[in-house]
């Protein structure tokens, strides 16, 4: 009952009044502020110093197909995957991008350009990460077109399926659902890390996307990477990056390399591992959230099976960074939360129903606690 009682506690009468109690809180975006506490504790371990004359060139390593990537970042990426066991990198190309958002566009463009018939359909099983539909449609490309839910996709011709596992917004483990010839899959593994989900195997798909944003919380560095099997696809992605941004900031790369190396060194430590920190934080948040949801009798949350985690060497639960919250009413759940001054992502943006919302659990503690209080204050009487 700890979560519910804490959540119900009124701000009036409490000694430490939360300054956010009247504020609009934004849980629509997945801004990973939750990790700041951890990095503050790590102090100067990840501080990098860059002199005025360093890293001025566009280029980094002309022997690498991805010529703008710093060798230390390429090695750090391979190193963290080897330490965690969540992707095969041996003999694969690492293409670094300005976040995995840019790489997703580069991968779609590159794969689509390999097909002879256009436009190539782009699909993802609902509920999907809402940015996919936005970024794919926004481009108005002649060679690919957003076609929505992969579950109901029945068009002829080439297609690209975006598979997010664990899924954003609902945390489920996903595999490709379209099983037709002439298709490609892009696996988005933004959340396939031990703080969110059991690491059950080391995937080796043709194109896999990872983002620095959700491993360490350094979303502002804008670093993501793709692990790519096919040389032609990797080359085309690098060419896209050349035309789109002429590579990726060296300052961000050097910082990411440093942080990934520190993560690797500390990942087995019970006191210093970011995975232990993230897991513990999200576990507590999910426990509190489930308790409040159970008490309200209004909302529902998905449940997740336990699985053996090769990284932690024990069976563990999934604790996603987003809650896929639903209710049984026919009306729009996001507007109920808006009335409570809580911004959430409506289910319809994820190709689903507005009976669902996606709530970010990546906020700092103060915002999360205000969210629980507001959730706990919603009663059956107050909504009718
Ligand atoms: C599934 C998924 N893919 C990609 C991204 C984008 O990551 P980046 O910050 O690297 O662009 C996010 C961010 O929320 C995400 O949830």
């Amino acid at each position: 009952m700890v979560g519910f009682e804490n959540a119900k506690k009124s701000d009036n009468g409490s000694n430490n009044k939360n300054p956010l109690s009247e504020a609009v809180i934004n849980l629509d975006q997945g801004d990973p502020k939750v990790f700041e506490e951890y990095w503050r504790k790590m102090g100067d371990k990840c501080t990098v110093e860059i002199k005025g004359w360093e890293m001025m060139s566009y280029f980094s390593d002309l022997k690498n197909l991805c010529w703008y990537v710093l060798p230390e970042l390429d090695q750090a990426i391979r190193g963290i995957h080897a330490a965690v066991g969540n992707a095969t990198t041996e003999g694969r190309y690492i293409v670094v991008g300005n976040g995995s958002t840019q790489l997703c566009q580069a991968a779609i463009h590159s794969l689509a350009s390999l097909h002879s018939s256009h436009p190539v359909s782009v699909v993802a099983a609902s509920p999907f990460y809402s940015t996919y539909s936005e970024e794919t449609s926004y481009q108005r490309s002649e060679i690919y077109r957003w076609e929505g839910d992969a579950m109901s996709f029945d068009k002829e011709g080439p297609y690209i399926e975006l598979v997010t596992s664990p899924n954003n917004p609902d945390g489920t483990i996903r595999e490709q659902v379209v099983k037709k010839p002439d298709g490609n899959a892009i696996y988005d593994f933004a959340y396939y890390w031990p703080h969110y989900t059991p690491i059950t195997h080391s995937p080796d798909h043709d194109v896999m996307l990872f983002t620095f944003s959700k491993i360490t919380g350094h979303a502002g560095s804008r670093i993501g990477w793709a692990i790519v099997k096919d040389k032609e696809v990797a080359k085309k992605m690098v060419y896209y990056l050349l035309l789109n941004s002429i590579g990726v900031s060296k300052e961000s790369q050097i910082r990411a390399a440093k942080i990934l190396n520190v993560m690797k060194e500390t990942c087995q430590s019970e006191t210093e591992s970011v995975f232990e920190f993230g897991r513990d934080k999200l576990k507590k948040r999910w426990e509190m959230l489930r308790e409040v949801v159970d008490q309200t009798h209004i909302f529902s949350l998905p449940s997740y099976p336990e699985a053996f985690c090769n990284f932690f060497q024990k069976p563990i639960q999934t604790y996603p960074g987003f809650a896929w919250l639903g209710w049984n009413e026919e009306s729009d759940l996001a507007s109920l939360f808006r009335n409570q001054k809580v911004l959430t992502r409506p289910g319809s943006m994820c190709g689903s129903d507005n009976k669902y919302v996606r709530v970010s659990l990546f906020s700092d503690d103060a915002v999360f606690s205000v969210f629980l209080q507001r959730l706990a204050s919603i009663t059956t009487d107050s909504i009718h």
Side-chain angles (χ1 to χ4, degrees):
M1 296 288 285
V2 176
F4 190 60
E5 288 312 320
N6 281 347
K8 270 197 355 185
K9 224 177 257 167
S10 149
D11 285 327
N12 309 325
S14 150
N15 288 337
N16 37 4
K17 183 171 161 67
N18 190 332
L20 287 171
S21 56
E22 300 301 322
V24 173
I25 56 170
N26 189 341
L27 300 179
D28 173 5
Q29 283 141 10
D31 198 18
K33 297 253 190 70
V34 65
F35 291 102
E36 191 178 314
E37 182 187 334
Y38 169 84
W39 292 108
R40 279 186 188 278
K41 278 194 203 133
M42 294 298 274
D44 269 342
K45 280 207 169 98
C46 292
T47 303
V48 284
E49 191 194 53
I50 300 168
K51 305 229 168 37
W53 46 265
E54 285 177 320
M55 295 184 294
M56 293 172 63
S57 169
Y58 284 120
F59 307 99
S60 291
D61 179 4
L62 294 178
K63 291 191 294 304
N64 192 336
L65 178 142
C66 188
W67 45 266
Y68 53 81
V69 71
L70 292 171
E72 50 269 58
L73 179 59
D74 184 281
Q75 279 158 25
I77 289 169
R78 293 179 196 273
I80 193 72
H81 284 302
V84 173
N86 64 341
T88 302
T89 60
E90 225 170 282
R92 304 288 174 253
Y93 299 96
I94 305 279
V95 180
V96 170
N98 291 286
S100 70
T101 302
Q102 188 187 33
L103 288 168
C104 187
Q105 290 161 27
I108 292 172
H109 184 91
S110 306
L111 291 170
S113 70
L114 294 173
H115 289 276
S116 48
S117 130
H118 295 119
V120 172
S121 302
V122 181
V123 295
S126 159
F128 45 71
Y129 174 43
S130 55
T131 305
Y132 292 152
S133 65
E134 291 174 295
E135 65 188 311
T136 312
S137 311
Y138 185 79
Q139 300 281 341
R140 295 180 193 221
S141 170
E142 287 179 356
I143 63 166
Y144 59 84
R145 183 184 297 151
W146 175 249
E147 291 288 349
D149 191 358
M151 300 295 244
S152 53
F153 176 67
D154 60 0
K155 276 203 163 166
E156 295 301 314
Y159 68 93
I160 297 169
E161 181 175 348
L162 299 165
V163 185
T164 312
S165 189
N167 192 33
N168 171 0
D170 67 355
T172 52
I173 299 301
R174 291 282 184 91
E175 290 292 341
Q176 233 180 304
V177 301
V178 184
K179 300 262 162 53
K180 293 190 198 203
D182 214 11
N184 305 102
I186 298 172
Y187 276 80
D188 185 336
F189 284 128
Y191 304 99
Y192 190 51
W193 292 98
H195 25 24
Y196 303 112
T197 195
I199 303 302
T200 55
H201 67 297
S202 181
D204 187 21
H205 300 289
D206 290 352
V207 181
M208 304 188 282
L209 303 179
F210 287 89
T211 167
F212 194 45
S213 308
K214 299 295 161 55
I215 317 174
T216 67
H218 292 85
S221 295
R222 307 306 305 126
I223 293 285
W225 59 90
I227 304 175
V228 184
K229 248 187 216 174
D230 183 79
K231 191 172 185 179
E232 281 316 299
V233 176
K235 262 190 184 167
K236 279 177 177 285
M237 289 178 69
V238 169
Y239 188 60
Y240 184 100
L241 263 283
L242 166 69
L243 296 182
N244 201 247
S245 53
I246 322 185
V248 174
S249 154
K250 300 280 167 56
E251 284 84 348
S252 286
Q253 291 193 48
I254 203 84
R255 186 171 188 217
K258 175 84 182 180
I259 291 171
L260 289 174
N261 284 333
V262 169
M263 276 180 75
K264 187 180 151 200
E265 280 158 25
T266 54
C267 74
Q268 293 296 345
S269 152
E270 272 184 29
T271 50
E272 283 202 307
S273 162
V274 71
F275 300 127
E276 292 280 357
F277 169 87
R279 186 149 197 86
D280 189 52
K281 203 80 183 172
L282 286 167
K283 179 173 187 284
K284 286 188 182 132
R285 287 191 178 184
W286 271 95
E287 283 167 1
M288 288 193 272
L289 178 62
R290 286 196 189 281
E291 203 177 308
V292 174
V293 162
D294 287 350
Q295 298 285 339
T296 61
H297 300 294
I298 297 170
F299 304 109
S300 62
L301 284 169
S303 44
Y304 303 102
E306 208 178 65
F308 188 84
C309 176
N310 297 336
F311 177 77
F312 283 122
Q313 283 295 299
K314 59 181 180 190
I316 59 167
Q317 264 274 356
T318 289
Y319 297 112
F322 297 99
W324 185 237
L325 206 60
W327 70 342
N328 284 329
E329 304 282 324
E330 283 312 313
S331 42
D332 178 8
L333 185 50
S335 45
L336 173 89
F337 281 117
R338 232 180 351 264
N339 292 340
Q340 303 288 327
K341 298 190 186 164
V342 178
L343 306 183
T344 60
R345 188 153 305 180
S348 56
M349 281 187 71
C350 307
S352 181
D353 200 289
N354 276 344
K355 287 156 81 169
Y356 296 95
V357 290
R358 188 195 78 169
V359 182
S360 167
L361 302 184
F362 284 110
S363 69
D364 59 29
D365 287 347
V367 168
F368 182 69
S369 132
V370 170
F371 167 61
L372 282 190
Q373 281 173 19
R374 293 189 191 166
L375 188 66
S377 72
I378 302 171
T379 59
T380 317
D381 289 344
S382 72
I383 57 176
H384 290 120

